[in-house]
Amino acid sequence: MDQAKAWTRVRGNLRLSAGQRLFDQWLKPIVLIPGEDAETVRLGLPSAFMTNWVKNHYADRLMMEFRAQLPGVRTVSIETVDARATRELAAAAPAVAAAAPAAPSALAGAGERPNLDSRFTFDRFVVDTSNRLAFNAAKALAEPGKPRFSPLYLHSNTGQGKTHLMHAIGHAFMEACPDATAIYMPAERFMFEFVRAVRERDTYAFKARLRGVDLLMIDDLQFIAGKESTQEEFFHTVDEFMREGKRLVIAADRSPLALEGIEARLASRLGSGLAADIKPAELGLRRAILDRKLEDMPGATVPSDVLDLLAARISSSVRELEGALNRLVAYAQLNNEIVTIAFAESVLGEALRGSQRRVTIDEIQKAVSSHFDVKQLDLVSQRRAVAIARPRQIAMYLAKRLTTRSLPEIGRKFGNRDHSTVIHAVRRIEELRGTDSEIDGAVRSLMRQLEA
């Protein structure tokens, strides 16, 4: 099978799994760029924005889909190409057979039901102190009856769960009120639809469709910063929803008053409801999220020490953390590999190194000596008593796991020991973690302390 035939099948699969609306908006514009390298598939999109979105959300899925059709494929490259080339390639490509009647646009009006991700529900959201307020507020807003507050304003750094909660609100509300209508859209989509309505002199229809729904959810509000006409329209939309007591959910990367380029009156309106902050996920929550994510991967086996590594090293974004696990499992299954620490570091090297806090060997030695109540000098001494040797091995193991130091460098930091001694220590602690719960607990506790 050649790449063109494989691409036709991949597009059909994406159409079925993503749904018509998501497919039309983001995936349908993708074109196959012909090439002579059978191991590399090149896909093109007409804008950098769309390219980045597809890379962030569908890179791994595209790789798996192509590998299922063409096992020899090793790379799927997603690139930005000029609009003329996109049109020419699209015209030459075969059409995707329709699997269902075309869905209405994002602003279809009466009877509108948002295209929500089936994975993003309340029961799949892992809760702890960093996101409990936002979770409880989202559940309360999704309940039938008159809302206790509106708007609900969710804010956090990227990838911490805002979009998950918005989709969960949509799922729960539409299930509780089957006849209700709702719209979910990014702020950029709001701006695009509004500008098009102005250009086509059809703003009345735009306003009627948007304000006529029972639940409106706008994501990534920060993207309309500085867009005065869009903010003007959005202000009146917010005002209308508040006046009628309807449900409005907004998400952004910072609190209303901290948004730059947003009019003061709009920021004031947004802050008049309930603003819920989602703080960065701590190590325990990141680890729990990985456990939950792994439950949704039948047949995938990832050892605890690898999950510990991901949770400890990737701390900036839950989305990045989940993406790393997806990538690791996909690579292991596609290449018939067993997931180990070494395999994870090979596949996710840059992601693990880029997110890693710079822990020093001195910090590790201090933490280990305090935990086991031994002197730091003992860890670098020649003493071989078990009470000293075991903590020393744990310290070497942590130095290998949590720093970028080479084995000879680690050995020198522990009394000028040979690199083979470090290798032995690392292997011994890995073995003991699987059989000795006390050792495993100590290592986990020290990793949490050092990564905090």
Side-chain angles (χ1 to χ4, degrees), residues 62-189:
L62 286 164
M63 168 66 85
M64 287 189 286
E65 289 283 358
F66 270 105
R67 285 295 303 274
Q69 304 295 331
L70 300 171
V73 169
R74 296 295 172 192
T75 305
V76 174
S77 174
I78 303 170
E79 310 166 13
T80 303
V81 296
D82 64 73
R84 180 178 178 182
T86 304
R87 288 194 296 271
E88 291 173 353
L89 290 168
V96 180
S105 69
L107 294 176
E112 170 66 16
R113 300 183 69 85
N115 185 37
L116 302 172
D117 194 316
S118 61
R119 300 168 300 166
F120 295 161
T121 58
F122 284 128
D123 62 343
R124 297 165 80 95
F125 190 85
V126 184
V127 184
D128 83 340
T129 54
S130 65
N131 56 28
R132 193 177 305 280
L133 172 62
F135 177 79
N136 290 338
K139 288 197 74 173
L141 192 72
E143 294 172 352
K146 185 177 180 180
R148 286 180 269 173
F149 51 84
S150 185
L152 169 61
Y153 185 96
L154 303 171
H155 62 101
S156 73
N157 294 332
T158 183
Q160 299 297 342
K162 301 185 300 294
T163 300
H164 186 141
L165 285 179
M166 295 182 84
H167 282 240
I169 291 170
H171 282 300
F173 180 67
M174 300 304 288
E175 183 178 349
C177 306
D179 296 329
T181 55
I183 287 174
Y184 165 82
M185 65 165 63
E188 277 199 332
R189 183 70 181 176

Side-chain angles (χ1 to χ4, degrees), residues 282-302:
E282 296 182 354
L283 180 60
L285 176 58
R286 298 197 299 271
R287 185 62 171 79
I289 288 171
L290 290 175
D291 284 334
R292 185 55 189 269
K293 182 74 176 176
L294 196 59
E295 291 176 4
D296 299 329
M297 297 179 169
T301 301
V302 182

Side-chain angles (χ1 to χ4, degrees), residues 150-279:
S150 185
L152 169 61
Y153 185 96
L154 303 171
H155 62 101
S156 73
N157 294 332
T158 183
Q160 299 297 342
K162 301 185 300 294
T163 300
H164 186 141
L165 285 179
M166 295 182 84
H167 282 240
I169 291 170
H171 282 300
F173 180 67
M174 300 304 288
E175 183 178 349
C177 306
D179 296 329
T181 55
I183 287 174
Y184 165 82
M185 65 165 63
E188 277 199 332
R189 183 70 181 176
F190 177 96
M191 179 173 64
F192 169 77
E193 294 283 352
F194 174 63
V195 171
R196 187 173 67 179
V198 171
R199 187 181 299 121
E200 296 175 357
R201 299 181 180 181
D202 195 21
T203 56
Y204 177 80
F206 171 84
K207 295 175 182 180
R209 292 167 186 165
L210 196 69
R211 300 177 191 179
V213 297
D214 302 298
L215 168 64
L216 175 63
M217 298 176 286
I218 304 293
D219 207 350
D220 291 324
L221 185 71
Q222 67 272 9
F223 288 120
I224 66 169
K227 315 295 185 189
E228 293 184 6
S229 60
T230 302
Q231 287 187 42
E232 175 78 17
E233 175 58 30
F234 189 68
F235 171 81
H236 291 300
T237 298
V238 172
D239 209 39
E240 178 90 4
F241 268 76
M242 293 180 66
R243 186 166 56 249
E244 295 188 9
K246 295 198 294 185
R247 290 167 173 79
L248 176 63
V249 187
I250 298 159
D253 63 355
R254 64 200 73 179
S255 66
L257 297 179
L259 285 170
E260 297 178 3
I262 297 294
E263 294 180 4
R265 62 173 184 166
L266 176 56
S268 176
R269 280 287 195 281
L270 297 175
S272 65
L274 175 59
D277 181 18
I278 304 177
K279 297 179 176 60

Side-chain angles (χ1 to χ4, degrees), residues 267-408:
S268 176
R269 280 287 195 281
L270 297 175
S272 65
L274 175 59
D277 181 18
I278 304 177
K279 297 179 176 60
E282 296 182 354
L283 180 60
L285 176 58
R286 298 197 299 271
R287 185 62 171 79
I289 288 171
L290 290 175
D291 284 334
R292 185 55 189 269
K293 182 74 176 176
L294 196 59
E295 291 176 4
D296 299 329
M297 297 179 169
T301 301
V302 182
S304 293
D305 59 348
V306 176
L307 296 176
D308 290 341
L309 177 69
L310 299 185
R313 296 280 186 89
I314 303 177
S315 58
S316 59
S317 164
V318 171
R319 185 181 298 128
E320 184 182 348
L321 181 66
E322 293 181 341
L325 180 62
N326 286 337
R327 190 156 63 253
L328 186 63
V329 170
Y331 272 68
Q333 292 178 341
L334 290 171
N335 294 288
N336 198 27
E337 294 273 2
I338 297 174
V339 177
T340 63
I341 290 287
F343 180 76
E345 290 177 336
S346 172
V347 173
L348 305 173
E350 287 302 317
L352 296 178
R353 287 190 291 272
S355 300
Q356 183 178 6
R357 191 178 85 81
R358 299 305 178 200
V359 180
T360 67
I361 293 179
D362 185 61
E363 287 176 320
I364 291 171
Q365 289 175 344
K366 287 179 180 177
V368 171
S369 62
S370 175
H371 183 90
F372 289 99
D373 195 22
V374 298
K375 294 178 181 178
Q376 190 172 345
L377 286 174
D378 288 334
L379 298 179
V380 300
S381 72
Q382 299 303 314
R383 294 183 60 187
R384 297 186 178 183
V386 175
I388 301 299
R390 191 69 76 222
R392 182 187 297 130
Q393 288 178 328
I394 289 175
M396 290 180 178
Y397 172 83
L398 292 172
K400 176 65 172 65
R401 287 282 301 272
L402 301 180
T403 77
T404 56
R405 298 290 186 178
S406 66
L407 294 174

